[in-house]
Amino acid sequence: MPEFPRNYLQCGRFRPDIAAAALRPLVMGILNVTPDSFSDGGQFASLDLALSHAEQMIADGVDIIDIGGESTRPGAPPVSLDDELRRVMPVVYALRDCGKPLSVDTRRPAVMREVLAAGADMINDIEGFRDPDSLAAVSDSDCAICIMHMQGEPQSMQTAPHYDDLFVEVRDFLRERIDQALAAGIAAERICIDPGYGFGKTTEHNLKLLAWQDELQRVLGFPLLAGLSRKSTIGQITGRPVEQRMAGSIAAALVAADHGACIVRVHDVAETVDALKVWNAARLARRVNTV
Ligand code: 7PJ
C-alpha cells in the first residue's frame, strides 16, 4: 500500500477515504451532458436526461459524479466556452446538494472558476493543468484535482503515439505537473494522478501502463485514478463496438483495482460497484489465514 499525503482525498465539501487496506476503489460515474438542441425543449430534455442518469448512479452506489460538457474522444469536434458552460452549469446547480462529490471534466480555467463558485468539489483536467491559468483557477478552493497525462491533443493524439520510454515519460510529466500544483499552493491531499489511458496511447501502451500502474502510484506517492471504461482498447481486445463494451470495461476496472487504483472512472456504475464488492471481499479473505 503506497504512502499518500493523507488517508483521504480532500474533495471540496467531502473527504472520501482512500488508501485503507480494507477499501475497494471509489467509483467515479461518468455523466456526459449531451449536446443541447437549439430549441428550449431540447435543452430541458438533455438536462432532464442528465439528472435522471445522476439519480440512477447515486442509487447504484456511485462515490463521485464526473460531469463533462466537452467530448474528448479522439477526433471529436471542439466545443465553444459558451456551449460548455451552457451544458455543465445547470447540471452542477441541480446536483450540488445531491450528497455526492461533484467533479467537472474540463480543460478551461473559465469553466473551472464558474463550477467551483457553483459548488463543484473536484476538477478533472485531461490536460493536467498545463494551461497557465488553470492552477490559479483552482488554487483558492479546496477542491480535489485530477492531473492526467496526455500525449498530443485529442484531435490527433491517436494518429501515431510514440514513446522512447513510456513509463519514464508518463512519470516525469506527472511529477512535473504535481510540482507545479504544489508550488501554486495546492495542498498535497487535494491531488490525484491519472496515466490517461487512451490519450495518445496504443492498446499496447495502455496495457503496459496498467501493469505499471501500482509502481507509478508508489513512486509518485499520490492516489491514482484509472479510466478505461468503453475505451477503444477494450474494443480492440474484445472486437466489440462501444455499446457492447460493458463486460470488458468491468474486467478492466477489476484489473485496475488489483493494480492499486484508488478511483475508477466508469460508465456502468451498478455493475462495476457489484464487481468491485466481490473482488474486495475475496481479496480481504485472502489476507486472513486463520479461518
Ligand atoms: C478520462 C477522463 C480518463 C480522466 C475522459 C472517455 C474519454 N478523465 N476523461 N481520466 N477519459 N481523469 O471517457 O472515453 O481516462 S473522456
Side-chain angles (χ1 to χ4, degrees), residues 28 30 32 66 70-74 105 124-126 146-148 194 196-197 199 225-231 265 267:
M28 170 183 266
I30 300 167
N32 283 324
D66 190 38
E70 183 206 18
S71 175
T72 44
R73 287 196 172 284
D105 189 340
N124 175 25
D125 178 4
I126 60 159
C146 179
I147 298 178
M148 197 193 82
D194 184 340
Y197 293 111
F199 285 89
L225 183 156
L228 287 144
S229 187
R230 299 188 191 170
K231 286 191 175 165
R265 181 179 178 277
H267 296 87

Side-chain angles (χ1 to χ4, degrees), residues 1-4 17-21 23-26 192-195 197 209-219 221-228 251-265 276 279-280 283 286-287:
M1 184 62 65
E3 289 292 320
F4 296 127
D17 284 342
I18 49 168
L23 287 175
R24 62 164 175 81
L26 300 172
C192 66
I193 55 168
D194 184 340
Y197 293 111
L209 275 175
L210 189 54
W212 281 334
Q213 201 188 253
D214 355 31
E215 177 69 0
L216 190 64
Q217 181 168 240
R218 196 186 57 74
V219 295
F222 287 87
L224 184 143
L225 183 156
L228 287 144
L254 294 181
V255 176
D258 228 28
H259 286 279
C262 291
I263 305 174
V264 290
R265 181 179 178 277
L276 285 171
W279 168 82
N280 203 35
R283 177 181 70 108
R286 208 154 63 201
R287 294 162 176 257

Side-chain angles (χ1 to χ4, degrees), residues 58-234:
I58 293 167
D60 291 341
V62 79
D63 297 298
I64 303 172
I65 298 175
D66 190 38
I67 303 163
E70 183 206 18
S71 175
T72 44
R73 287 196 172 284
V79 175
S80 74
L81 170 63
D82 280 353
D83 279 346
E84 191 179 349
L85 285 170
R86 258 197 293 276
R87 290 177 193 179
V88 167
M89 292 309 293
V91 180
V92 173
Y93 282 122
L95 291 178
R96 60 192 286 170
D97 295 317
C98 75
K100 298 292 174 187
L102 298 184
S103 164
V104 176
D105 189 340
T106 185
R107 302 190 270 171
R108 289 195 166 103
V111 175
M112 296 176 190
R113 289 198 166 86
E114 292 280 329
V115 298
L116 288 172
D121 301 289
M122 176 166 182
I123 301 292
N124 175 25
D125 178 4
I126 60 159
E127 284 186 2
F129 297 84
R130 274 179 283 174
D131 183 314
D133 196 28
S134 61
L135 286 174
V138 299
S139 62
D140 267 354
S141 80
D142 58 3
C143 70
I145 67 169
C146 179
I147 298 178
M148 197 193 82
H149 175 272
M150 165 166 60
Q151 184 183 76
E153 284 293 313
Q155 297 273 22
S156 56
M157 65 191 177
Q158 290 306 95
T159 312
H162 170 80
Y163 297 83
D164 290 326
D165 189 326
L166 175 69
F167 182 77
V168 166
E169 288 173 46
V170 172
R171 180 198 65 193
D172 289 355
F173 171 88
L174 290 173
R175 185 175 276 154
E176 195 267 334
R177 298 313 311 152
I178 290 165
D179 287 346
Q180 291 295 321
L182 294 171
I186 292 165
E189 60 265 29
R190 293 174 53 194
I191 298 173
C192 66
I193 55 168
D194 184 340
Y197 293 111
F199 285 89
K201 288 155 192 111
T202 63
T203 292
E204 197 191 347
H205 293 142
N206 288 328
L207 293 174
K208 284 220 166 86
L209 275 175
L210 189 54
W212 281 334
Q213 201 188 253
D214 355 31
E215 177 69 0
L216 190 64
Q217 181 168 240
R218 196 186 57 74
V219 295
L220 292 173
F222 287 87
L224 184 143
L225 183 156
L228 287 144
S229 187
R230 299 188 191 170
K231 286 191 175 165
S232 63
T233 285
I234 308 294

Side-chain angles (χ1 to χ4, degrees), residues 38-50:
F38 287 110
S39 76
D40 276 0
Q43 264 191 42
F44 287 124
S46 67
L47 177 61
D48 266 0
L49 218 60

